[in-house]
Amino acid sequence: MIVCARASASRRAILTVPVLLPLLDAARAHAGDSDYKKFLGYSAAPDLYLGYGQKNDNRVADPPLYSFEYPADWTEEIPTKTEKSTMGMDGRVMHPSTRKELAYVVALGGKDYRDSVLKDARSSLIVFAGGDPDLRQAVTDGKVEQATKRVNGSDLFVFDIASDKRRYLSSIGKKGDTVFALVVTAPANAFERDYAGLKHIQDTFQLL
Ligand SMILES: *[C@@H]1O[C@H](CO)[C@@H](O)[C@H](O)[C@H]1NC(C)=O
């Protein structure tokens, strides 16, 4: 077998190229920025949203409205049409095996939000926490730290919310007629362990 492979050195040279490429990709995935993938959110209107995700949407020519980076080993879990229409869930990524560490973006637009101004961080947070009972309870009973941050031309309210059960990082901002809220969450023990990756999601979130 070995002799045979040596004998066809030129053929081997050609064959090794496609074999090497995935190896290089794998190597790169362990270095710096490649530990993360970029999520681009398009915030399709609920009546146009078909529940099979932005990537398959016919209107891919529309520019993305927000982005963030998430751990490369996480997977995208496309919100259902019901999640989209009832709570404005627009995009979601999660740890593929625990599924308890996740990040999602809620986008609420239209006439109710066109004239809304995000004056007060805490009340903005309570509006968005509405669809998630655990978050609502953490906001009420837990420890909430908040700050404001200007990211690429938009003011964001940023939060760190800790309850006994879970911890949440959230960023809320408005662009045009739409209010966007990112929520990154994990059970308290997993949060400690995976803090860097979870924080990276919040730190890279921006409205475009
Ligand atoms: C800032 O937002 C604009 C769109 O408003 C986008 O084109 C640009 O890439 C963003 N800048 C960075 C540094 O991501």
Side-chain angles (χ1 to χ4, degrees):
M1 281 312 201
I2 293 163
V3 172
C4 187
R6 270 208 212 118
S8 58
S10 64
R11 203 179 99 216
R12 187 182 55 187
I14 293 162
L15 288 176
T16 49
V17 174
V19 173
L20 270 177
L21 287 177
L23 293 178
L24 288 173
D25 278 344
R28 229 180 281 136
H30 290 285
D33 286 348
S34 302
D35 289 346
Y36 296 100
K37 288 190 282 202
K38 190 163 196 164
F39 185 95
L40 294 173
Y42 293 88
S43 186
D47 50 343
L48 299 175
Y49 186 80
L50 298 173
Y52 49 62
Q54 296 92 343
K55 280 181 198 145
N56 295 332
D57 196 313
N58 292 332
R59 300 162 311 111
V60 282
D62 288 349
L65 299 181
Y66 62 89
S67 67
F68 59 83
E69 291 176 9
Y70 63 101
D73 58 346
W74 284 26
T75 52
E76 191 175 336
E77 180 97 358
I78 295 165
T80 64
K81 194 172 169 67
T82 305
E83 289 169 324
K84 175 76 184 175
S85 58
T86 57
M87 63 175 288
M89 171 99 64
D90 191 69
R92 177 172 49 199
V93 292
M94 63 176 62
H95 189 294
S97 51
T98 77
R99 298 177 64 84
K100 288 177 178 165
E101 291 172 75
L102 66 146
Y104 62 85
V105 173
V106 169
L108 297 174
K111 76 174 164 45
D112 292 346
Y113 293 89
R114 189 170 304 146
D115 304 319
S116 71
V117 183
L118 297 178
K119 280 193 210 106
D120 165 28
R122 204 172 171 102
S123 60
S124 310
L125 181 59
I126 286 166
V127 169
F128 277 95
D132 182 334
D134 287 341
L135 174 56
R136 203 166 56 222
Q137 191 175 353
V139 170
T140 316
D141 305 337
K143 185 165 142 284
V144 180
E145 284 174 18
Q146 63 190 52
T148 53
K149 192 176 142 194
R150 196 159 177 84
V151 181
N152 196 13
S154 297
D155 289 318
L156 299 180
F157 289 129
V158 299
F159 302 91
D160 185 335
I161 304 145
S163 73
D164 293 343
K165 271 195 273 178
R166 299 188 76 88
R167 188 147 157 212
Y168 299 84
L169 300 174
S170 180
S171 298
I172 301 180
K174 185 180 178 197
K175 182 110 184 206
D177 293 343
T178 308
V179 183
F180 298 90
L182 166 79
V183 176
V184 183
T185 181
N189 56 348
F191 194 97
E192 294 288 319
R193 190 188 60 221
D194 297 334
Y195 179 74
L198 298 166
K199 183 82 173 104
H200 187 88
I201 300 174
Q202 184 186 39
D203 286 346
T204 54
F205 178 68
Q206 61 171 327
L207 306 184
L208 301 173

